[in-house]
Amino acid sequence: MKAPKIGVLLINLGTPEATDYWSMRRYLSEFLSDRRVVEVPQAIWQPILQGIILTFRPQKSGHAYAGIWNRELNESPLKTFTRAQADGLRAALTHTHDDRVIVEWGMRYGHPSTAKGIDSLLAQGCERILLFPLYPQYSATTTATACDQAFRHLMTLRRQPAIRTVPTYHDDPAYITALAAGVSRHLDSLSWKPDRIIASFHGLPKMYLEKGDPYHCYCLKTARLLREKLGMDATTLTHAFQSRFGRTEWLQPYLEPMVKALPGQGVKKLAILAPAFVSDCVETLEEVNQGIRETFLTAGGTDFTYIPCLNDHPDHTGLLRAIVERELSGWI
């Protein structure tokens, strides 16, 4: 019997293992088959997904990933940053708690899996585990499904550890402070001042909000608190939602048409950040920094900048450490 330890598992969305058709198809099939992500009866959805969507979408998504792929490590930036976040948090906690707190990381979809992360913590003697879905704004499509995946694996274990989960931290002062510091740091590095700043959040079908998902409210509160922290008004820093998929109505305002209209309204210099993501990924590096940039400049904008996610910046390590130590109260 090993001396009891405490485990922390950072969980992010996931990533394909490569950009080729079959790697993308496997990843998208797992992701889009999640019943929390697509709330359509499986008897209807699976023929559409497997027969139509996964015939064409893997090639398009693979092209998007190829444009932002970390070729040095042969992996997506999401995997690179999530590993770095775990390494930074591990070092910070080891400095304070020696080897009593063990940090691992895993993905909801793809590899390394959530199950592998849990098994690694158990193998290292962890009898208590804190699950940390890396989504500041809770949604059933992200936070809940990450926890679901962990619980599914725990159901297979004869000896289960004690479990805690990190709650939404969309309004945590440390999170807002870290966001504001990142925005200020980036704007200070520019030779120009943006006419408008947009906090772009990942979209969600409107029906999910109507069914009780609090994500929309949390996004708006994050944007408001960030605006207040930076001392800006609602005209200078506004919000939008990106990554719409399908024909159903999603949360509005939509990012792309908003950006396309801005030059005609006199907004020629634009900055965008993505507060719902803690790691830069295909939705930020390809969709925003490449696609939305092109949309804005083609529409008549003169200057565009994308403000990076928290990624592995020391401010983010400090934020993760503060949340973990708070949620481990009574265990450490």
Side-chain angles (χ1 to χ4, degrees):
M1 297 292 291
K2 297 182 179 180
K5 297 184 184 297
I6 298 168
V8 177
L9 181 63
L10 302 183
I11 309 173
N12 214 320
L13 178 73
T15 172
E17 291 302 296
T19 62
D20 63 276
Y21 174 85
W22 289 107
S23 295
M24 292 302 311
R25 183 179 177 112
R26 283 192 295 272
Y27 169 71
L28 291 172
S29 180
E30 182 182 10
F31 173 40
L32 296 175
S33 292
D34 190 328
R35 299 189 183 198
R36 285 199 186 269
V37 173
V38 181
E39 295 184 5
V40 176
Q42 292 297 298
I44 299 174
W45 175 240
Q46 282 300 321
I48 297 173
L49 175 63
Q50 302 297 334
I52 301 175
I53 295 175
L54 293 182
T55 298
F56 303 102
R57 191 171 177 84
Q59 184 174 2
K60 180 180 179 181
S61 295
H63 178 74
Y65 271 95
I68 54 99
W69 201 251
N70 182 341
R71 302 194 181 280
E72 181 180 354
L73 296 178
N74 192 27
E75 63 187 23
S76 73
L78 178 66
K79 181 176 285 189
T80 302
F81 285 125
T82 305
R83 179 191 300 109
Q85 289 159 4
D87 290 344
L89 178 61
R90 185 182 301 113
L93 292 174
T94 298
H95 179 74
T96 306
H97 305 287
D98 297 322
D99 63 346
R100 189 182 176 196
V101 180
I102 310 297
V103 178
E104 291 290 354
W105 59 286
M107 298 294 184
R108 167 61 183 91
Y109 316 103
H111 303 285
S113 67
T114 301
K116 182 178 179 180
I118 291 174
D119 288 344
S120 177
L121 292 173
L122 294 176
Q124 295 176 75
C126 296
E127 295 186 359
R128 304 179 182 192
I129 294 178
L130 175 67
L131 302 177
F132 196 152
L134 292 169
Y135 310 106
Q137 297 80 17
Y138 172 94
S139 172
T141 62
T142 52
T143 312
T145 194
C147 292
D148 287 348
Q149 189 74 345
F151 296 146
R152 272 190 285 268
H153 182 62
L154 290 166
M155 289 173 64
T156 69
L157 303 180
R158 180 170 296 276
R159 182 180 180 182
Q160 292 183 338
I163 295 292
R164 288 181 179 177
T165 60
V166 170
T168 179
Y169 56 102
H170 64 284
D171 58 355
D172 189 301
Y175 165 62
I176 300 300
T177 297
L179 279 182
V183 171
S184 297
R185 189 166 50 246
H186 187 83
L187 296 184
D188 288 344
S189 71
L190 302 176
S191 60
W192 51 274
K193 182 178 179 181
D195 302 319
R196 184 75 51 83
I197 301 172
I198 301 176
S200 178
F201 297 89
H202 197 287
L204 199 69
K206 185 179 179 181
M207 70 177 72
Y208 293 10
L209 167 64
E210 294 169 345
K211 291 179 178 180
D213 196 300
Y215 176 75
H216 177 260
C217 301
Y218 291 160
C219 291
L220 266 58
K221 188 171 185 181
T222 294
R224 176 176 62 81
L225 292 175
L226 176 60
R227 186 165 56 241
E228 292 173 356
K229 186 71 175 180
L230 291 168
M232 297 179 178
D233 58 32
T235 301
T236 304
L237 196 159
T238 188
H239 72 277
F241 294 92
Q242 63 180 85
S243 307
R244 182 186 177 194
F245 175 73
R247 297 181 179 179
T248 187
E249 182 180 359
W250 280 41
L251 300 178
Q252 297 192 40
Y254 299 140
L255 177 63
E256 186 171 8
M258 174 188 285
V259 167
K260 191 173 183 179
L262 287 178
Q265 300 168 5
V267 176
K268 300 292 187 178
K269 302 179 180 182
L270 177 64
I272 297 182
L273 69 151
F277 300 92
V278 299
S279 300
D280 276 312
C281 53
V282 69
E283 288 87 354
T284 65
L285 299 176
E286 193 278 336
E287 184 179 354
V288 174
N289 196 32
Q290 295 179 17
I292 295 299
R293 174 191 294 272
E294 182 178 357
T295 296
F296 180 68
L297 297 179
T298 301
T302 59
D303 296 276
F304 178 96
T305 188
Y306 167 67
I307 302 171
C309 293
L310 295 174
N311 293 324
D312 56 349
H313 191 276
D315 285 353
H316 194 204
T317 301
L319 167 62
L320 296 176
R321 176 181 176 178
I323 293 175
V324 165
E325 291 188 327
R326 181 187 68 211
E327 297 303 320
L328 290 182
S329 177
W331 282 6
I332 56 175

